[in-house]
Amino acid sequence: NAGVTQTPKFQVLKTGQSMTLQCAQDMNHEYMSWYRQDPGMGLRLIHYSVGAGITDQGEVPNGYNVSRSTTEDFPLRLLSAAPSQTSVYFCASSRGLGGSYNEQFFGPGTRLTVL
Amino acid sequence: KNEVEQSPQNLTAQEGEFITINCSYSVGISALHWLQQHPGGGIVSLFMLSSGKKKHGRLIATINIQEKHSSLHITASHPRDSAVYICAAQGGTYKYIFGTGTRLKVLA
């Protein structure tokens, strides 16, 4: 099992550019989410999905889009990058509801810099 | 006031010391999670607690639901324990509120 994979690991963008951060998991997890981590702040939820075809907004969704066409993949799209989106992005997945199923598995992160 | 607060923010210990990291939360929870973030950035789940105490190797996590407080203890600390430890309150099915983390450095 590869677990949760993310690409790229590092990315530099210019203001206004768009890009997609990729996330995939091979554990057949229903729940997937995207977080951003900024210095001095806890992880903040951007978007999440409870299954293929179902997505919803988290705490800080502005400037980001997601889709979930398959159970395995959950890409995060930056529509028009801004310096405020400079951050480290983590994708996570879990099996679903209840008990140990709520343990989240995290990807290695993508460090994004927007100039 | 943050809904999840950790203390201390930074901690330096000598190898072998007993370490305690605290987490207080102000929201209702279904579970409390402890995570470890390695110096390279990767995040792994250590514990998920809804009551009582859990132990895994040298790590012990406890929770007091009435006081809305959880602790993570590390016995016989080792330099490889150096990491950022994060607590997260699971307030709803999909709602996690993360603390800002405790940066631990264990010196040999």
Side-chain angles (χ1 to χ4, degrees), chain A:
Chain A
N1 278 354
V4 181
T5 58
Q6 289 182 239
T7 56
K9 289 188 177 179
F10 302 94
Q11 183 71 49
V12 178
L13 292 177
K14 294 181 180 178
T15 297
Q17 288 185 314
S18 62
M19 78 159 295
T20 299
L21 279 62
Q22 301 292 345
C23 174
Q25 52 89 13
D26 61 359
M27 298 173 282
N28 202 31
H29 285 173
E30 290 298 319
Y31 178 68
M32 296 185 74
S33 55
W34 277 102
Y35 296 96
R36 59 178 290 172
Q37 186 178 43
D38 299 296
M41 304 185 74
L43 289 159
R44 292 183 293 168
L45 182 64
I46 303 171
H47 285 284
Y48 67 94
S49 169
V50 301
I54 307 170
T55 64
D56 207 347
Q57 296 181 350
E59 182 184 353
V60 288
N62 292 342
Y64 308 95
N65 272 356
V66 292
S67 59
R68 185 99 178 266
S69 56
T70 66
T71 299
E72 294 77 19
D73 300 299
F74 190 43
L76 178 73
R77 296 183 188 85
L78 279 70
L79 308 173
S80 177
S84 60
Q85 293 179 303
T86 294
S87 188
V88 181
Y89 292 84
F90 288 95
C91 179
S93 73
S94 66
R95 283 185 67 180
L97 305 178
S100 62
Y101 295 164
N102 283 324
E103 178 185 1
Q104 289 204 81
F105 295 81
F106 288 83
T110 295
R111 187 174 295 273
L112 175 68
T113 301
V114 183
L115 303 175

Side-chain angles (χ1 to χ4, degrees), chain B residues 6-20:
Chain B
Q6 292 184 233
S7 63
Q9 288 186 314
N10 296 283
L11 180 57
T12 300
Q14 294 293 326
E15 184 174 358
E17 284 186 5
F18 180 85
I19 289 164
T20 296

